[in-house]
Amino acid sequence: MKLPPGITGFFDGSASFQMVDSKKFRSICYEVSMHPAIKLLNIQEATYPANYMCAKFVFYNEPIQVVMNAYYPLFTTTVIAEDGHFVFCDLPEEFRLFEQHYQCITVEDLEQMIEEHYLKQLSEVEREQVAFWKPERLGEVIFNAWD
């Protein structure tokens, strides 16, 4: 999976990216939460330093999140590890409505170790951030809270 420019949320002076429509994301979250086994807890906008929106749910009494990149229509589902990092998980069937609007990134793709060829399309500013923060997996680049 090659990473497109701007996916990290860092831009040089010449780039301009439009954020993913948060109202649409919210609407889908509310619609998904109509399932009897799903309870929507809250929705967080993509605010500095995070480059993603996050919807927190309880699904069959277990916490789960849908995280959406703020600049590309890419999402995944996660649980939260004790250290606060995302633990990516497969998309439950009951959350498939998101796939009608956005592209789900697989756990396999998100867990790939970072190699130089994945970063070729990123801007110089983004590559500098990757060098500074030293993420190990692609998921840490696509969904980050670097400041």
Side-chain angles (χ1 to χ4, degrees):
M1 170 179 200
K2 290 190 177 168
L3 301 174
I7 198 160
T8 65
F10 287 87
F11 312 101
D12 61 24
S14 64
S16 65
F17 289 88
Q18 187 155 349
M19 293 182 79
V20 171
D21 183 357
S22 64
K23 287 182 183 176
K24 180 178 177 181
F25 179 71
R26 283 181 169 279
S27 176
I28 297 166
C29 291
Y30 291 127
E31 191 170 342
V32 164
S33 71
M34 291 182 174
H35 186 284
I38 300 172
K39 179 182 179 184
L40 177 62
L41 299 177
N42 67 24
I43 302 171
Q44 295 173 312
E45 299 290 328
T47 56
Y48 179 83
N51 75 334
Y52 57 86
M53 296 178 270
C54 178
K56 295 182 180 189
F57 297 89
V58 173
F59 176 56
Y60 289 109
N61 298 318
E62 295 294 327
I64 190 168
Q65 300 181 122
V66 173
V67 290
M68 165 73 67
N69 184 278
Y71 302 97
Y72 285 88
L74 304 170
F75 80 99
T76 194
T77 49
T78 74
V79 294
I80 301 175
E82 290 181 19
D83 63 1
H85 290 91
F86 290 139
V87 175
F88 302 110
C89 60
D90 292 325
L91 182 68
E93 186 67 34
E94 293 83 353
F95 287 79
R96 296 272 179 215
L97 179 62
F98 284 97
E99 287 185 310
Q100 294 177 20
H101 304 275
Y102 310 113
Q103 179 184 346
C104 183
I105 308 173
T106 65
V107 174
E108 181 180 352
D109 283 342
L110 293 164
E111 293 293 342
Q112 286 185 33
M113 299 304 284
I114 294 177
E115 296 175 13
E116 187 60 35
H117 66 94
Y118 295 130
L119 308 176
K120 286 188 178 193
Q121 293 180 333
L122 297 182
S123 69
E124 183 177 337
V125 171
E126 291 177 291
R127 287 192 302 274
E128 288 171 3
Q129 290 298 317
V130 169
F132 179 80
W133 292 102
K134 297 177 181 32
E136 295 179 2
R137 308 171 299 160
L138 288 181
E140 296 171 44
V141 175
I142 298 169
F143 305 104
N144 73 70
W146 301 337
D147 66 354

